[in-house]
Structure formats: structure tokens, C-alpha cells
């Protein structure tokens, strides 16, 4: 949906308030594209704005890297579609052209041919014939940049068709299914011509088990076998992806010149050194400096970071996020961190499983200024880095909540009919409207800053004792810690919530989501697999069952539809406390059987009738289950002498224009790398 404001070309003001901001940008397939505000950007100093501008540029320059990492044909497909889209001479209102537009938008959303969340390859709704004819109708000079030396348009078409249309080619981006070669069956481009066992042998030879400060082997390279020889192609200047990395380094150098302080300059310079050398020891030096820079207001992530895209968890996908600290909101996480010991001491957990001394986590609330690479268009709402375990243990980690993104989610959800459809009465809806944003953020803070860090293992207990159930139990533990304390009088005493009733908004939504509405994301006939979803159902289903004698929670029927009703919030809080105590016991003692019973009995199975009902009701609302974002546009304002006078933020770019602009201005990689 394009807003009227955009259609008539009115430029939105630089500091719009949440109320007069239009959060919705576009909608296609199962995706809705939103925009986000950057509140208080104008309150930053000129130097800070300049720093952000350069870091933003460095962020956008990495875009092509992720496309190529996700699949070796992604850049070719994106460039071909964009060329057709921009130069198409046929009927731009035809069904086929609209389908091509949708497919191109989906490619941008997934940074390639696979769905960003399910990671399945999606197949376009236009025909092979249509694509073929569209490519052939292009002027030769438009096709030329898409061809490899010696190729003709016909070769290009023969190369593209199977990758785009054949469901058996690259069916999944990252294959996690057991029992097959995960490298050969994954569609991404971290490995080539090599089997899983060869990869495992290659890296296990590198590792030294006695090393207490191991580098993240394989993080910044593609592993290939060429003429029988296995070698790493390192992502660095002069190595793989050099032309994009050159640009990133160029902008990082500019950023370094306007750093806020010496510590931050050192952080940026270490990152530059890493991009130049590709040396993972240098990367760790950079990560250690980065995690210790707590004074700078501007901060960033830029590099080969998360390893979810590699089935073996070695290769880092490129991402960047630039941000500045939201000083007002960070007071909230600081209050929580500074009371960490009180929360630990007063939790309902058995004393022998508690930490005698809690180490506060450095946590802050941030305002994102740009999302890029694996953070764009879909983005996390919280990040906790660095990933290297030994650095986390020795130097700690930084945990952030990206509040201008959660704000966009919350506002976009307002008035979309979801609460009207699924909440029991106006009482719940009113409370949600008034408090849900606040309590949601607070629950996330408690989960991240305290929940994961609370409790301890008994001596000799293996941290991996719960095996495949470990991550569900761990998420449940952190969620329960947060739920228990959101409803504690201490929270209003610390002025973290304005009202003694506010916590009920979080409780109701949590239970409604865990018992019912999260099922909208599950395909009919399937069980729950994802560990965060399992954890939510585990908690909701357990307290529902245990609260039955006191009628704490009911599922009531009205006109044949089911609704969650919470009758006793205080008792519900007691039940959260009981489950927290039990889950902490399971974790602390490594009780595998206990963990398995909880997960298998409460977290996995889906009530088929309720599931069908929820899906039916959700479908009527015509909502997109996944969200992506467009970034604001930043412009340098200079005087006649070329001195920078200001950096302006505008919010009127739509999804298509933004992605076409990025492809034009920030695309330095060759089509094949
Ligand atoms: Zn968590």
C-alpha cells in the first residue's frame, strides 16, 4: 500500500512524531514492508551525524556480498530482473508484468531466490516463456553486462531458467535435515565442489583442542575444491569480494576520521585492518575492542557475523547495522542491570541453583539508522554480540534492543484487526493499546539482561546435557524470568512501568499467543519445531493445565470461535514462578528426562481443530505474517566550499525505488565471484 503522502510527493518532516508517521510502505506475497523513524537524529552533533553517514555508506556497500553468499546465481538473477523491470516495453499493467514485479520484490526480501525465513526456494508465477521473451526483447547493450565473455542472450536464458523455475535445483538455502550431506544439499555459496565430511576434516585439522582463545575458523571464507585441492578463498581486500570490501574500507576510513573518541577510532581501525588482512586473530582483537567500547553513543555492526546460514555454523553472512544509543530508554536497562542481584536473590528458584554474584550485562536501547546485509529488509529486534564464546566469557557481550524497529512493528499492528479478532473483550484490547508496547519491551529487556544470565549449573553438570531440548528450555527459562518479574511490585517501585495493572497486558498477550495465535505461523498438519515457538507454547500450555483447578485460564467459545480468557492474573504469576523454579532445576541439574518430558508433553503437539480455526480466522484478516523494512535516506548538505553543514534524513523512498537505487549505487561485485 502506497500512502497518499508519497503519491502526492509531499516530503515527510525530518522528525515526525509516531502519530503522524506512515509506517506502511508495500505489501506482496506473504510480506509487508514498513518504514521506521529515526527519532532524535537531529539532536546528535554534526560530527556524530557525519560519522553515522559514513558508517551507513559502509553498510550499504556490502549488499552484493550477501546475495552472492546466499546463492551463486543470485546477483545474475537480481540484475536480470531489474534490467527487465526497468526497460520493459510491453504492458506494465499486465498480469505477467505484475508477477515479475512481485518476484523481484521477493528476491530483494530474501536477498536471493530463497524465502528469508523458511529458506525454501520460491517459484515465480509468470511462465518461462514470458521471461524468455522479456529478456530477448531487451536492447543488446542492456543484455551485454549480464553476459559472461563469449556468451549470447540464449546462453543467459538457458542458465537462468532451471535455477529460477526447477523446484529440485537449490530447493533450500540452508539444509538442516538429518541424514544427508548438508553441504551438497544446501543452496548457498559458502562451499563449492566439496562434501560435508571433507569440510569437517579440513576444519578439524585446523583446530587445536588446547587453545583457550580459538579464532572462528572459516568465518570469512569460501571453501572450495579445485583440481582436487581444497583451499579457502578469503573474503578480504585483494581476495574474494575485494571490490565491495574496497568500498567498505574507503567509508570506514572516513568514519575513523570523525570518530567520537580514541577508543572508537581504534575499533574502526581494527576492523579496517581485518578487512585488509583477512586475519581472524585481528578479527578477535577488533571484537574485544568493540565489546569494551561502552562510552560512544554511535555504534555499529559491520562484517561477517552470524553463522545461521551455514549448516555447519562456520561461515559468517555479511551484515551491518548502524545505530546510536537511545539515552533516555537505556536508563531502563541500566536500572534493570544495576538491580540484577536483587532480582536473582528474590526469584522463586531454589537457593542452590542461584548465582551468588550476578555479573551485570551491558545492555542498551538503540535507534537504528541503517539496516543492511543480513539485517535488511528483514531485521532482528535485538542483537547480542560478539559470538566467540571465549570472548564473551572473558570480556562480556553487548546486548541491544532496537526500539525504533519495535516501535514500527507496534504501530503497524495497530488497527489491523488482529486484536479485534482474537482478544476476548475491550478490557484486554484497551490494556494492550495502553501498555503492550511498554511491557513487551520490558519483557525483552528482562529476558535478555537478566533471564539468560541468571541461575547456575551445579558443579560437574554438562552445559549441553539437555541436548536437542536445551534451547527450548533455555528460552523458556529466560521468558519465565521476565514474565515473573514484569508482574512484580518492584517493577513499579523502580518506575519501569507506570501502573500496577500494566503487566496484565503482557500476560494476556503471552498466553493468547502461546495457546492460540502463534499457530498462524504453522502449516496445517505440522507440529511446532522452532525453539522460541516451542518455549511459548510450553509455558502457556503448562500454566493453562496447572491452573485448571482454580480456573486461572479458560478457553471460552463465542459464536463457535475460541478465545483465551485469563480469570486470575495473580495466580497466573504464581504459576509462572513455579514453572521457572522447575525449569531452573532441570537446567541446573542437567535433567535430560525432565526437559524432554516438558517439551514433548507441552511444547510440540498442535490441537488440529484449534489450529484450523485460527488459520481460518487469520486468513480473513488478510495480514502478511512477515515484515521487512525500507531505510531512511541520508543526504549530506554542504556549503559552497564543500564543507559538510548537516546530514538530512528523509523517509519518502518506496521499496522499489530504494532497491533499484541500491543496485545502481552500491553494487561493485562482478556477477560471478
Ligand atoms: Zn533468549
Amino acid at each position: 500500500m502506497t500512502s497518499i503522502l508519497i503519491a502526492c510527493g509531499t516530503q515527510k518532516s525530518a522528525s515526525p512524531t509516531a502519530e503522524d508517521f506512515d509506517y506502511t510502505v508495500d505489501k506482496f506475497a506473504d510480506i509487508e514492508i514498513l518504514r521506521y523513524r529515526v527519532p532524535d537524529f537531529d539532536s546528535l552533533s554534526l560530527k556524530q551525524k557525519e560519522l553515522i553517514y559514513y558508517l551507513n555508506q559502509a553498510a550499504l556497500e556490502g549488499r552484493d556480498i550477501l546475495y552472492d553468499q546466499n546463492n551463486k546465481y543470485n546477483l545474475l538473477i537480481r540484475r536480470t530482473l531489474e534490467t527487465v523491470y526497468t526497460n520493459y516495453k510491453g504492458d506494465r499493467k499486465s498480469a505477467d508484468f505484475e508477477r515479475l514485479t512481485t518476484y523481484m520484490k521477493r528476491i530483494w526480501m530474501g536477498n536471493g531466490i530463497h524465502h528469508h525465513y523458511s529458506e525454501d526456494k520460491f517459484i515465480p508465477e509468470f511462465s518461462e516463456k514470458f521471461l524468455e521473451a522479456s529478456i530477448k526483447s531487451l536492447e543488446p547493450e542492456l543484455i551485454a553486462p549480464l553476459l559472461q565473455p563469449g556468451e549470447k542472450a540464449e546462453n543467459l536464458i538457458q542458465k537462468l531458467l532451471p535455477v529460477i523455475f526447477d523446484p529440485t535445483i537449490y530447493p533450500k538455502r540452508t539444509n538442516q535435515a538429518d541424514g544427508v550431506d548438508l553441504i551438497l544439499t544446501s543452496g548457498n555459496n559458502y562451499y563449492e565442489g566439496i562434501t560435508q565430511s571433507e569440510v569437517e576434516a579440513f576444519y578439524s585439522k585446523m583446530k587445536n583442542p588446547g587453545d583457550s582463545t580459538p579464532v572462528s575458523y572459516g568465518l570469512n571464507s569460501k571453501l572450495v575444491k579445485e583440481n582436487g585441492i581444497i583451499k579457502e578463498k578469503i573474503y578480504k581486500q585483494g581476495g574474494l569480494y575485494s571490490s565491495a570490501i574496497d568500498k567498505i574500507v574507503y567509508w570506514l576510513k572516513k568514519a575513523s576520521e570523525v570518530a567520537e573518541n580514541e577508543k572508537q577510532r581504534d575499533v574502526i581501525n581494527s576492523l579496517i585492518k581485518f578487512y585488509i588482512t583477512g586475519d581472524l586473530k585481528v578479527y578477535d582483537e577488533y571484537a574485544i575492542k568493540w565489546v569494551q567500547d561502552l562510552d560512544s553513543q554511535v555504534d555499529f555492526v559491520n562484517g561477517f557475523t552470524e553463522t545461521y546460514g551455514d549448516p555447519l555454523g562456520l561461515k559468517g553472512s555479511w551484515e551491518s547495522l548502524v545505530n546510536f544509543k537511545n539515552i533516555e530508554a537505556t536508563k531502563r536497562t541500566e536500572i534493570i542491570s544495576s538491580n540484577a542481584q536483587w532480582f536473582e536473590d528474590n526469584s522463586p528458584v531454589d537457593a542452590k541453583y542461584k548465582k551468588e554474584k550476578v555479573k551485570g550485562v551491558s545492555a542498551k536501547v538503540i535507534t537504528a539508522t541503517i539496516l543492511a546485509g543480513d539485517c535488511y529488509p528483514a531485521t532482528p529486534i535485538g542483537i547480542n554480540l560478539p559470538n566467540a564464546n571465549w570472548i564473551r566469557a572473558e570480556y562480556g557481550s553487548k546486548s541491544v534492543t532496537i526500539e525504533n524497529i519495535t516501535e514500527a512493528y507496534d504501530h503497524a499492528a495497530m488497527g489491523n484487526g488482529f486484536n479485534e479478532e482474537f482478544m476476548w473483550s475491550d478490557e484486554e484490547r484497551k490494556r494492550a493499546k495502553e501498555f503492550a508496547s511498554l511491557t513487551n519491551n520490558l519483557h525483552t529487556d528482562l529476558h535478555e539482561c537478566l533471564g539468560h544470565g541468571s541461575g547456575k549449573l551445579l558443579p560437574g553438570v554438562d552445559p549441553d546435557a539437555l541436548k536437542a531440548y536445551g534451547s527450548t528450555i533455555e528460552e523458556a527459562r529466560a521468558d519465565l524470568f521476565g514474565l515473573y518479574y514484569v508482574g512484580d511490585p518492584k517493577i513499579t517501585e523502580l518506575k519501569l512501568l507506570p501502573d500496577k495493572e500494566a503487566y496484565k497486558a503482557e500476560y494476556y498477550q503471552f498466553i493468547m499467543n502461546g495457546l492460540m495465535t502463534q499457530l498462524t505461523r504453522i502449516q496445517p498438519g505440522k507440529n511446532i519445531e522452532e525453539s522460541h515457538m516451542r518455549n511459548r507454547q510450553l509455558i502457556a500450555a503448562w500454566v493453562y493445565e496447572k491452573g485448571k483447578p482454580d480456573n486461572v485460564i479458560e478457553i471460552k467459545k463465542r459464536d463457535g470461535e475460541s478465545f483465551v480468557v485469563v480469570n486470575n492474573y495473580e495466580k497466573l504469576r504464581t504459576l509462572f514462578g513455579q514453572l521457572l523454579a522447575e525449569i531452573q532445576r532441570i537446567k541446573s541439574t542437567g535433567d535430560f528426562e525432565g526437559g524432554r518430558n516438558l517439551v514433548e508433553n507441552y511444547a510440540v503437539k498442535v490441537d488440529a481443530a484449534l489450529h484450523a480455526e485460527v488459520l481460518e480466522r487469520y486468513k480473513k484478516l488478510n495480514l502478511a505474517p512477515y515484515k521487512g523494512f525500507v531505510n531512511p535516506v541520508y543526504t549530506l548538505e554542504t556549503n559552497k566550499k564543500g564543507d559538510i553543514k548537516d546530514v538530512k534524513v528523509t523517509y519518502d523512498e518506496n521499496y522499489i525505488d530504494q532497491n533499484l537505487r541500491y543496485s545502481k549505487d552500491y553494487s561493485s561485485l562482478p556477477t560471478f565471484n
Side-chain angles (χ1 to χ4, degrees):
M1 277 177 294
T2 318
S3 79
I4 295 163
L5 267 176
I6 292 167
C8 56
T10 314
Q11 209 168 64
K12 293 185 183 65
S13 69
S15 299
T17 61
E19 282 62 40
D20 62 29
F21 192 72
D22 186 3
Y23 291 88
T24 57
V25 178
D26 205 340
K27 202 173 160 203
F28 52 91
D30 54 355
I31 310 291
E32 184 177 12
I33 300 292
L34 308 176
R35 61 168 65 81
Y36 59 93
R37 296 189 310 142
V38 187
D40 300 325
F41 184 77
D42 285 333
S43 69
L44 299 173
S45 71
L46 177 57
K47 204 172 154 196
Q48 286 174 316
K49 290 183 191 175
E50 209 182 325
L51 172 62
I52 287 175
Y53 179 84
Y54 297 138
L55 291 170
N56 285 352
Q57 293 289 91
L60 294 173
E61 294 290 1
R63 178 168 177 259
D64 281 358
I65 296 176
L66 182 70
Y67 275 82
D68 193 71
Q69 286 181 312
N70 281 344
N71 183 273
K72 67 182 289 188
Y73 291 99
N74 277 340
L75 285 170
L76 179 65
I77 291 171
R78 190 192 81 199
R79 285 169 178 168
T80 305
L81 288 165
E82 289 171 351
T83 306
V84 171
Y85 176 84
T86 311
N87 300 284
Y88 190 69
K89 295 281 191 304
D91 180 4
R92 296 180 77 91
K93 294 237 153 61
S94 70
D96 272 335
F97 188 76
E98 273 176 19
R99 289 173 187 140
L100 179 124
T101 309
T102 298
Y103 182 65
M104 181 178 68
K105 288 178 178 178
R106 298 186 75 185
I107 295 277
W108 291 333
M109 181 69 188
N111 292 287
I113 56 177
H114 299 94
H115 191 275
H116 73 285
Y117 192 80
S118 75
E119 306 200 8
D120 295 326
K121 186 167 90 177
F122 45 84
I123 310 288
E125 290 179 341
F126 54 81
S127 67
E128 300 192 14
K129 271 212 172 84
F130 172 74
L131 183 64
E132 202 175 330
S134 306
I135 293 172
K136 282 185 173 160
S137 74
L138 292 171
E139 304 289 332
E141 67 267 26
L142 293 170
I143 297 185
L146 303 166
L147 303 176
Q148 297 302 298
E151 272 188 339
K152 295 194 166 61
E154 194 51 44
N155 305 104
L156 170 70
I157 291 162
Q158 291 317 315
K159 198 153 60 179
L160 283 178
L161 292 183
V163 182
I164 294 178
F165 290 96
D166 186 340
T168 65
I169 294 177
Y170 302 127
K172 196 128 194 142
R173 188 169 73 201
T174 311
N175 186 24
Q176 309 272 18
D178 248 1
V180 288
D181 187 309
L182 299 179
I183 299 300
L184 297 179
T185 54
S186 289
N188 52 28
N189 191 26
Y190 294 113
Y191 305 94
E192 196 162 354
I194 190 164
T195 65
Q196 182 178 347
S197 51
E198 286 172 322
V199 174
E200 284 164 348
F202 182 86
Y203 285 112
S204 74
K205 236 192 321 197
M206 271 190 185
K207 282 180 200 160
N208 169 7
D211 190 352
S212 59
T213 61
V215 299
S216 306
Y217 293 102
L219 187 74
N220 65 332
S221 65
K222 177 175 176 178
L223 193 67
V224 298
K225 189 156 88 174
E226 286 172 348
N227 306 317
I229 297 162
I230 298 175
K231 63 174 178 191
E232 276 193 312
K233 293 187 168 176
I234 308 289
Y235 310 147
K236 62 169 189 161
Q237 269 197 337
L240 193 50
Y241 302 142
S242 186
S243 49
I245 290 173
D246 287 345
K247 299 254 168 121
I248 295 169
V249 166
Y250 169 84
W251 290 112
L252 288 176
K253 283 182 175 163
K254 303 274 265 185
S256 164
E257 287 166 20
V258 291
E260 288 178 79
N261 52 59
E262 281 314 307
K263 227 173 171 179
Q264 186 180 51
R265 194 184 323 279
D266 194 23
V267 172
I268 298 172
N269 289 342
S270 299
L271 179 59
I272 293 171
K273 191 175 163 199
F274 169 63
Y275 275 127
I276 293 172
T277 61
D279 182 345
L280 287 166
K281 276 268 176 228
V282 176
Y283 182 70
D284 284 350
E285 285 164 25
Y286 151 72
I288 290 165
K289 286 173 185 168
W290 177 82
V291 80
Q292 294 183 104
D293 176 15
L294 301 173
D295 301 330
S296 308
Q297 190 181 0
V298 176
D299 205 351
F300 65 95
V301 177
N302 181 310
F304 305 99
T305 311
E306 304 289 356
T307 57
Y308 306 117
D310 175 5
L312 303 183
L314 300 170
K315 307 291 172 191
S317 63
W318 195 90
E319 72 173 37
S320 184
L321 173 103
V322 183
N323 65 80
F324 59 94
K325 194 195 286 185
N326 178 336
I327 291 169
E328 197 45 43
T330 296
K331 286 180 186 155
R332 191 178 75 214
T333 57
E334 283 166 354
I335 291 171
I336 293 169
S337 288
S338 60
N339 285 281
Q341 193 66 51
W342 186 92
F343 286 108
E344 182 76 358
D345 293 345
N346 289 279
S347 88
V349 164
D350 192 313
K352 58 180 176 286
Y353 308 136
K354 286 184 184 178
K355 269 199 178 119
E356 292 81 12
K357 213 165 161 34
V358 183
K359 220 171 108 192
V361 181
S362 102
K364 60 183 175 181
V365 179
I366 60 167
T367 303
T369 64
I370 209 99
L371 311 168
D374 226 354
C375 297
Y376 173 90
T379 178
I381 54 168
I383 299 183
N384 191 324
L385 289 172
N387 283 328
N389 276 322
W390 72 269
I391 299 179
R392 296 171 72 87
E394 215 160 302
Y395 300 93
S397 66
K398 274 193 218 172
S399 167
V400 301
T401 313
I402 314 171
E403 198 151 291
N404 59 331
I405 297 296
T406 57
E407 179 202 88
Y409 278 121
D410 289 343
H411 277 267
M414 270 178 205
N416 68 6
F418 189 88
N419 289 356
E420 285 64 28
E421 176 61 37
F422 289 106
M423 288 187 171
W424 171 245
S425 74
D426 283 340
E427 187 187 321
E428 286 83 4
R429 281 187 282 271
K430 187 167 164 279
R431 221 182 263 131
K433 197 168 173 220
E434 207 170 341
F435 300 121
S437 275
L438 271 179
T439 58
N440 252 317
N441 282 328
L442 181 61
H443 184 218
T444 306
D445 294 339
L446 290 165
H447 174 119
E448 299 289 349
C449 309
L450 301 181
H452 282 304
S454 73
K456 66 169 182 193
L457 300 184
L458 292 186
V461 170
D462 174 4
D464 294 324
L466 304 177
K467 299 197 178 81
Y469 302 106
S471 57
T472 298
I473 293 292
E474 177 55 23
E475 290 309 320
R477 198 174 74 87
D479 258 353
L480 284 162
F481 201 93
L483 285 167
Y484 180 78
Y485 277 120
V486 163
D488 198 283
K490 182 82 176 175
I491 294 292
T492 37
E493 201 181 292
L494 292 171
K495 300 199 168 44
L496 292 167
L497 285 179
D499 191 299
K500 282 206 286 278
E501 302 284 292
Y503 78 98
K504 295 181 180 174
E506 184 65 18
Y507 280 21
Y508 186 81
Q509 269 190 339
F510 192 95
I511 299 296
M512 178 181 82
N513 184 51
L515 285 182
M516 278 179 64
T517 50
Q518 73 165 350
L519 296 176
T520 54
R521 292 164 71 184
I522 301 287
Q523 302 280 327
K526 295 230 164 120
N527 282 330
I528 300 179
E529 286 177 42
E530 202 274 325
S531 55
H532 291 83
M533 292 183 73
R534 282 188 167 186
N535 129 51
R536 292 182 204 121
Q537 178 168 302
L538 192 169
I539 294 173
W542 191 91
V543 294
Y544 173 62
E545 188 191 283
K546 302 294 170 190
K548 267 185 181 160
D550 300 310
N551 203 24
V552 176
I553 299 165
E554 274 178 278
I555 295 187
K556 280 194 186 169
K557 289 272 186 186
R558 185 169 60 206
D559 303 331
E561 294 184 328
S562 314
F563 294 88
V564 166
V565 179
V566 176
N567 293 316
N568 189 336
Y569 282 95
E570 274 170 52
K571 193 83 217 257
L572 177 56
R573 177 163 186 256
T574 312
L575 290 168
F576 284 144
Q578 281 170 16
L579 184 56
L580 173 59
E582 170 61 2
I583 288 219
Q584 184 62 55
R585 183 198 64 74
I586 288 170
K587 172 102 184 174
S588 292
T589 59
D591 178 3
F592 176 80
E593 280 304 314
R596 181 169 69 183
N597 285 338
L598 272 185
V599 174
E600 295 294 346
N601 291 336
Y602 296 96
V604 179
K605 279 174 238 106
V606 171
D607 176 335
L610 183 65
H611 188 195
E613 180 200 318
V614 168
L615 287 178
E616 185 60 36
R617 288 163 69 188
Y618 185 72
K619 207 174 143 202
K620 277 192 306 200
L621 297 173
N622 195 25
L623 301 176
Y626 302 102
K627 310 279 189 242
F629 288 88
V630 291
N631 285 311
V633 181
Y634 297 82
T635 324
L636 283 185
E637 302 212 322
T638 52
N639 65 11
K640 283 193 187 121
K641 285 192 289 177
D643 304 326
I644 293 161
K645 288 289 158 209
D646 202 1
V647 180
K648 281 276 174 252
V649 194
T650 48
Y651 299 99
D652 45 7
E653 194 167 40
N654 73 32
Y655 183 62
I656 290 183
D657 291 344
Q658 178 151 98
N659 276 282
L660 289 177
R661 180 171 66 89
Y662 286 175
S663 294
K664 187 162 84 45
D665 294 349
Y666 303 96
S667 189
S668 47
L669 286 191
T671 298
F672 290 98
N673 290 276

